[in-house]
């Protein structure tokens, strides 16, 4: 079922792109492992070199998207609802259906000290979500083996933390003994369609702090998931710990020592928000997990 949904997502994204670009991507995918379903990223640079991330391989594209095509593409992405996407654009991305996120790079516009928007788009990065994670089953077993307060998954950027959360929400929210899982999805990277028949509630678009508080107060979860925690989340997470609700979160770090040295995470580590730490690394195409209990 997830594979079918992934195919529908990539076909929809390709329908938004200029016809010549879409055709080139289809031709490239046909002859490679995974085909269209293996596409994870489409990176477009106006007047420059664009690329495709397909089954872990970065492939340069010959097609060069021009200014007019970029403007047309932005109109399609916003679907005439600029106001609805205003906050996301100011933060550097647009959220689309199905958990698809488009990173934006252009010229910033300020009103005093505040960033109010981004114009003259020069780069767009389509990130296509997948429900498959090469190491999620291992993390599922690690979590079920016993967690007192919470589990923190860490890795360098782009290794698969968000993909792991998606897959974990699916597995932990189903099976013979499903858990009630609440996902605080600030950047709209989870799709409700992927969790039909699962005990998963998604608080989409909420700022993490408010989402955590609402999930705790109103949804009676047995587990809360958050992607990329930071210093601003400390107070709310400490409240979750006091309520006895386990937490699975992610953070950027290349090692446990780097993670533990982050000042932004100090309040969470000091209060014992996490007792299980799972590091993810990628070497020669193989994922490796490092597990520490503190």
């Amino acid at each position: 079922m997830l594979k079918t949904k992934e195919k529908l997502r990539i076909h929809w994204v390709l329908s938004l792109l200029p016809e010549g670009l879409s055709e080139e991507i289809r031709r490239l995918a046909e002859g490679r492992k995974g085909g269209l379903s293996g596409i994870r990223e489409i990176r477009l640079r106006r007047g420059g070199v664009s690329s495709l991330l397909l089954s872990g391989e970065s492939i340069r594209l010959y097609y060069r998207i021009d200014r007019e095509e970029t403007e047309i593409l932005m109109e399609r992405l916003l679907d005439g609802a600029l106001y609805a996407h205003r906050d996301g654009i100011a933060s550097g991305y647009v959220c689309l259906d199905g958990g698809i996120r488009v990173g934006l790079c252009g010229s910033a516009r300020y009103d005093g000290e505040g960033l109010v928007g981004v114009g003259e788009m020069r780069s767009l990065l389509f990130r296509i979500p997948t429900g498959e994670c090469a190491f999620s089953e291992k993390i599922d077993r690690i979590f079920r083996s016993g967690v007192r307060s919470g589990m923190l998954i860490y890795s360098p950027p782009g290794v698969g933390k968000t993909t792991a959360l998606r897959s974990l929400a699916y597995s932990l929210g189903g099976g013979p003994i499903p858990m009630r899982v609440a996902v605080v999805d600030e950047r709209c990277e989870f799709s409700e369609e992927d969790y039909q028949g699962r005990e998963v509630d998604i608080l989409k678009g909420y700022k993490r702090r408010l989402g955590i508080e609402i999930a705790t107060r109103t949804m009676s979860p047995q587990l809360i998931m958050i992607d990329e925690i930071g210093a601003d989340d400390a107070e709310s997470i400490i409240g979750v710990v006091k309520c006895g609700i386990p937490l699975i979160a992610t953070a950027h770090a290349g090692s446990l020592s780097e993670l533990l040295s982050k000042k932004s995470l100090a309040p969470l580590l000091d209060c014992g928000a996490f007792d299980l730490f799972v590091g993810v690394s990628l070497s020669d195409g193989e994922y490796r997990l490092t597990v520490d209990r503190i």
Side-chain angles (χ1 to χ4, degrees):
M1 179 63 72
L2 287 178
K3 275 288 187 183
T4 300
K5 290 174 180 176
E6 288 167 19
K7 289 180 180 178
L8 291 174
R9 286 169 186 155
I10 188 59
H11 281 296
W12 179 60
V13 169
L14 292 178
S15 73
L16 300 173
L17 304 180
E19 185 176 353
L21 175 58
S22 177
E23 289 178 355
E24 181 182 356
I25 291 173
R26 291 179 190 276
R27 287 198 305 271
L28 286 169
E30 285 176 0
R32 286 175 167 79
K33 180 182 177 181
L36 289 175
S37 297
I39 296 175
R40 297 278 72 83
E41 294 182 357
I42 300 174
R43 187 182 299 270
L44 307 179
R45 296 183 177 93
R46 192 181 81 191
V49 176
S50 297
S51 61
L52 183 71
L53 184 62
L54 172 59
S55 299
E57 180 184 2
S58 181
I59 305 169
R60 293 181 63 167
L61 300 170
Y62 287 102
Y63 193 99
R64 298 206 171 194
I65 187 169
D66 60 28
R67 180 171 184 158
E68 181 180 359
E69 290 173 323
T70 303
E71 292 175 352
I72 292 173
L73 178 55
M74 285 300 303
E75 290 176 3
R76 291 173 177 172
L77 294 178
L78 301 178
D79 195 25
L82 175 61
Y83 182 82
H85 295 282
R86 185 184 61 180
D87 291 343
I89 291 174
S91 298
Y93 61 89
V94 170
C95 297
L96 306 179
D97 291 340
I100 298 168
R101 186 161 63 103
V102 186
L104 305 173
C105 179
S107 300
R109 294 198 299 267
Y110 284 84
D111 182 3
E113 295 296 320
L115 179 66
V116 295
V118 181
E120 284 293 314
M121 297 302 172
R122 297 181 182 85
S123 300
L124 296 89
L125 172 60
F126 288 80
R127 300 188 68 178
I128 316 298
T130 174
E132 292 187 347
C133 176
F135 50 86
S136 65
E137 289 186 7
K138 293 181 180 178
I139 298 182
D140 186 314
R141 290 196 297 271
I142 292 167
F143 181 82
R144 292 181 187 273
S145 69
V147 173
R148 294 191 305 274
S149 52
M151 177 167 70
L152 185 57
I153 303 170
Y154 64 92
S155 79
V159 175
K161 297 184 296 300
T162 303
T163 301
L165 279 191
R166 291 194 197 97
S167 187
L168 283 170
Y170 186 85
S171 61
L172 293 172
I177 308 177
M179 299 182 70
R180 296 188 304 275
V181 180
V183 180
V184 181
D185 182 23
E186 180 175 350
R187 296 183 297 182
C188 303
E189 294 183 290
F190 288 69
S191 174
E192 294 89 340
E193 294 180 355
D194 291 343
Y195 302 98
Q196 293 177 2
R198 302 275 155 166
E199 294 280 347
V200 178
D201 300 299
I202 301 174
L203 290 86
K204 187 177 291 290
Y206 284 82
K207 296 295 183 183
R208 285 191 296 268
R209 178 171 179 172
L210 178 60
I212 293 168
E213 293 173 355
I214 289 177
T216 304
R217 190 169 63 245
T218 67
M219 299 307 298
S220 183
Q222 294 174 296
L223 169 66
I224 293 178
M225 289 187 172
I226 321 165
D227 199 12
E228 296 185 16
I229 59 171
D232 294 340
D233 308 317
E235 183 178 345
S236 299
I237 291 176
I238 290 172
V240 170
V241 173
K242 290 180 178 178
C243 291
I245 302 173
L247 185 75
I248 297 180
T250 69
H252 288 313
S255 65
L256 181 62
S257 59
E258 179 185 341
L259 181 75
L260 298 179
S261 68
K262 286 180 175 288
K263 293 182 180 179
S264 61
L265 298 182
L268 301 175
L269 300 176
D270 291 343
C271 79
F274 305 101
D275 61 282
L276 183 60
F277 298 84
V278 178
V280 183
S281 59
L282 181 62
S283 178
D284 297 326
E286 295 290 329
Y287 288 98
R288 295 181 172 84
L289 301 185
T290 304
V291 181
D292 293 279
R293 295 182 183 272
I294 297 179

